[in-house]
Amino acid sequence: MKSTINDVAAKAGVSIKTVSRVINNEPSVRPATRKKVMDAVAELHYQPNLAARNLAGTRSYTIALIYDNPNAYYVIDMQNGILEACKARGYELLIHPSNSKSETVNDELRALVEHSKVAGVVLTPPFSETQSVIDEVKKLGLDYVRIVSSQAAQGDEDNCIQVDDSEAAFEITKHLIEHGHRRIGFLCGGEEHVSTHGRLEGYRQALQQAGIAIDQSLIVPGEYAFDSGVEGAKALLQLDNPPTAIFASNDEMAAGALFAARLMHIEIPEQLSIVGFEDSPFSRQTWPKLTTAHQPNNEIAKCAAALVLNKARSKGAAESASAAKDAGITKKFVPELLVRDSSGDAPSP
Amino acid sequence: MKSTINDVAAKAGVSIKTVSRVINNEPSVRPATRKKVMDAVAELHYQPNLAARNLAGTRSYTIALIYDNPNAYYVIDMQNGILEACKARGYELLIHPSNSKSETVNDELRALVEHSKVAGVVLTPPFSETQSVIDEVKKLGLDYVRIVSSQAAQGDEDNCIQVDDSEAAFEITKHLIEHGHRRIGFLCGGEEHVSTHGRLEGYRQALQQAGIAIDQSLIVPGEYAFDSGVEGAKALLQLDNPPTAIFASNDEMAAGALFAARLMHIEIPEQLSIVGFEDSPFSRQTWPKLTTAHQPNNEIAKCAAALVLNKARSKGAAESASAAKDAGITKKFVPELLVRDSSGDAPSP
DNA sequence: AAGGTAAATGACAACGCTGTCATATGCTGC
DNA sequence: GCAGCATATGACAGCGTTGTCATTTACCTT
C-alpha cells in the first residue's frame, strides 16, 4: 500500500526526477507529462516520505511553533490552526513549548535548527515581541512569522500577522462609555506583552475622544492571570472613588475581577460592568457571561502558518509573483466586540 | 557546529557503525570503546539526525498523540507531559487531533503510519476506549499506550495507564455523605467516555456503603460540556424533591451547575453543594472555587509516553529485563479529593 | 601452544528523496 | 529541412543513519 516515488515513476512511465519535479511544482515539465504523473500519484495515493525529503533536500518540510504557556485555550486554538495549514501542505509541525522568563530560548532555538532542519517558525507572544529572540531567528536565517499586536509590527509587516488590539480596545471602551460609564478601570496584562499596551492605548484614545480625563489611579498592573485580576479589581474597588466599569486585558483577568466583585458583594452588571478580551470558551462559562472582544486565534494561527509555509516554499523553485501567492491570507485582524451579560448601563449616582 | 556520526567516529577512532551501536545502547561494545565514543559524542555535542534515523532504520523515532478536543486544559497538559518524555529520549512527537465522532479515524491512523513511520501511539479518551480504534492500532502493529479509566483496562493492563475514576468518585461522594448529604445528584459525561461510567460506579458504591438507596431520577445525562452541566443541574433542581448536592462528572459541567444554581438564586454551598472532577485550572477560577478531584494529567501523560517509548525501544536491541525498565512509571493513578469552597454541610431541613 | 568459540568491530548497501549536471526532445527561423 | 536554442527529461550521487554480514580480536579449553 505504501508507495514510493519509484512506483509512481514506473506507473507514469517517467523518471523519478520528473515525478519529484511535479510534486514540488517545479517548472520545466510539460503539461501532458505533469498530468500523467499526477494521475499516477492519485491512483497510488502516493505521499512523499518526509524523512527522506528532509534528509535529501536543502529545504525542509518542518516548521516549528514556539510558545510559552500563558493560557491553554490560546495555545490549543493556535496549534490546531497551524496543524491544519501544515497538513494541507504536507508539512510537519515541531512543537516547542518554552519559557519566556528563562534566558535559554535562543539556545533552544539554535538546537532546534541544528538538530532538525527547520524551514520556518511561528512565533507567538511574548516571543514574537522579544527583540533578542527575533534577532536570533534572523541570524539563523529562518523564515519566520510573528503573531503580534499591531504596535510591534512596525517595519516588519511582511513577517507579521497583526492583531489590532488598540482598535478593538477602543471599541470596547466606547461601548462602556456609551453606556454611561465615566470612571473605567483598566487591568493591565504582563508588561512583556505588547498586546496589553495596545489595549491600554485603545482605552486611552476612547476616553480622550469622549473628553474624559485619564485617571492614572484607575490603571492597575497585572499578569494576564486570574489571581492578578482578583487583586487588581480589589484594588480598584477599594478606591475612594471606585470605577463603575472594569476593562480587563483578558478574559482570565476579567474572571478574576468577577470573583473579586463577588467577594465584595457587588452585583454585576447592575453595580459594576466588567469586560474581558479574547473570547476564550472560558468567557462563556462565567456568571454572568463576559462581554469581550472575539479574537479568532485559530484563524490567526492558520494565516501565520500559511504565510511561513509560503515563504519557505518560495525559497525553493522559482514561483509565481509573491504578491499573488499570499492570496487568502489575512494579515491584520481586529477582534470584534461581543456584548454579553457582564456589562450594562452605569449605575445612577 | 552540527556534527555527524562521521565526525564522532573519526574523533573516537572507531567506525561509524560502532558509534551507532553506542548511541543505540546495543550490546557487544567493550566498555573502553563505549567510553571513547561517549566522550567524543559529548565533546562534539553530537545529536543523531532524526530524519536519517527514520529513513534508514526499521524502528522509528517518532510517536504520535491522538486526541479529540474535549477540553483545552486536558489536551495541553497531556501534550506537555508527552513532549517532555519525548525530548528526554530524543524522540519526536506527531500531533494528530481527530474527531471521535467521525468514522475516518482508522483511515487517518493508517495514513499516519504509512506516511511517516511511527513507532507508537498514545491514545487518549475517547479513542483509547474505542474498540475499533484499538483493533486498528493492533492490526497496524503499532506499539501503543492507552490512557484509560481503570474499567477499560481489563486484559490489556500492559498497554494502559489507568486512572481509577471509581475510587476517586467514591471518595468524593463519601465526602458529600459525611457532610450530611443524602440526596446527591449525578451529572453524567458523554456516554462514549468510560471515565464517566467509572465515576458513576464510585458514586453508586459510596451511596450503597452508606445505606442510601440509588434514586435513578438523580442521575442525569450530559456531555462533559458546560451547557449540558447547566441543563442537567436545572433538571435536578426542578425536581419535586431536589438533591442537596450535585456531583458533576467534570469541572466544566460543575461550572455549568454553578451557573444554573445562580440562575435559580440558589446559594452555593449553603443551599447546595457542587463538586467537579479533574482539577483543571478552571476549577479555581469559578465562584465559589470548586471542590474536585485532582487528576495529574501532565504526569499521567508523561508516564504514558515513557511507556510507549520503552516498548518501541525494546523492540530494537535486546534489552535488560522488561520488568526493570519500566521503573518509575506509575501505571495507575487515583485522583485525590481536593476540598475547596463549593461543597459544605447539607442544609438542615 | 594450538584450536575453537564467542564477542567486538567494520565494510558496505540501503532507506526515499533531492540537487547537479548531462542528455534528449521539441521549436524557432532561415 | 537543418542548424541553433530553449525546454524537458533522466542518470547518478549523496543526505546521515541503520541493518546485514563478513571479518577481526579476545578469551577459553585442552
Side-chain angles (χ1 to χ4, degrees), chain A residues 94-140:
Chain A
L94 217 59
I95 311 267
H96 189 84
S98 188
N99 192 287
S100 56
K101 300 275 162 39
S102 87
E103 298 292 313
T104 61
V105 191
N106 286 5
D107 295 335
E108 293 170 20
L109 265 171
R110 213 170 310 121
L112 209 62
V113 173
E114 278 173 16
H115 184 69
S116 2
K117 223 178 294 178
V118 169
V121 256
V122 174
L123 258 24
T124 61
F127 299 118
S128 59
E129 301 161 346
T130 306
Q131 197 55 46
S132 72
V133 173
I134 303 171
D135 288 343
E136 182 68 25
V137 167
K138 280 187 189 159
K139 205 170 88 187
L140 289 166

Side-chain angles (χ1 to χ4, degrees), chain B residues 210-222:
Chain B
I212 303 174
I214 309 279
D215 181 343
Q216 281 299 334
S217 67
L218 289 181
I219 300 175
V220 301

Side-chain angles (χ1 to χ4, degrees), chain A residues 19-229:
Chain A
V19 175
S20 171
R21 286 198 179 91
V22 171
I23 58 179
N24 288 296
N25 253 303
E26 288 172 33
S28 295
V29 178
R30 239 178 315 171
T33 313
R34 189 174 297 265
K35 180 166 187 328
K36 269 195 301 187
V37 172
M38 300 217 295
D39 288 349
V41 165
E43 199 168 334
L44 296 170
H45 299 290
Y46 169 70
Q47 283 204 287
N49 176 305
L50 238 104
R53 280 184 142 181
N54 280 331
L55 184 57
T58 45
R59 51 205 267 232
S60 124
Y61 289 83
T62 303
I63 65 171
L65 164 64
I66 315 283
Y67 70 83
D68 197 342
N69 203 341
N71 167 334
Y73 289 122
Y74 186 79
V75 172
I76 271 288
D77 279 351
M78 291 269 173
Q79 177 174 307
N80 284 340
I82 295 178
L83 240 20
E84 279 177 54
C86 282
K87 200 172 294 179
R89 286 218 185 54
Y91 272 68
E92 195 158 335
L93 213 216
L94 217 59
I95 311 267
H96 189 84
S98 188
N99 192 287
S100 56
K101 300 275 162 39
S102 87
E103 298 292 313
T104 61
V105 191
N106 286 5
D107 295 335
E108 293 170 20
L109 265 171
R110 213 170 310 121
L112 209 62
V113 173
E114 278 173 16
H115 184 69
S116 2
K117 223 178 294 178
V118 169
V121 256
V122 174
L123 258 24
T124 61
F127 299 118
S128 59
E129 301 161 346
T130 306
Q131 197 55 46
S132 72
V133 173
I134 303 171
D135 288 343
E136 182 68 25
V137 167
K138 280 187 189 159
K139 205 170 88 187
L140 289 166
L142 283 175
D143 285 316
Y144 66 91
V145 166
R146 301 159 52 204
I147 295 176
V148 296
S149 193
S150 293
Q151 324 226 324
Q154 20 61 289
D156 194 26
E157 284 83 1
D158 282 352
N159 297 310
C160 287
I161 298 291
Q162 303 181 31
V163 177
D164 195 333
D165 290 293
S166 294
E167 179 63 26
F170 182 88
E171 292 301 326
I172 290 183
T173 312
K174 205 172 110 196
H175 163 75
L176 292 172
I177 294 172
E178 282 169 2
H179 279 268
H181 296 277
R182 305 273 117 188
R183 289 186 63 73
I184 303 175
F186 187 91
L187 260 34
C188 299
E191 266 300 317
E192 70 278 23
H193 288 268
V194 175
S195 56
T196 192
H197 298 125
R199 291 167 200 177
L200 180 55
E201 183 55 28
Y203 158 87
R204 283 209 166 100
Q205 281 175 8
L207 289 183
Q208 242 153 24
Q209 184 183 295
I212 303 173
I214 309 280
D215 181 343
Q216 281 299 335
S217 67
L218 290 181
I219 301 174
V220 300
E223 296 291 339
Y224 271 151
F226 182 82
D227 288 338
S228 69

Side-chain angles (χ1 to χ4, degrees), chain B residues 15 17-18 21 28-30 33 55-56:
Chain B
S15 76
K17 182 67 226 191
T18 298
R21 287 199 179 89
S28 298
V29 178
R30 238 176 316 172
T33 313
L55 184 57

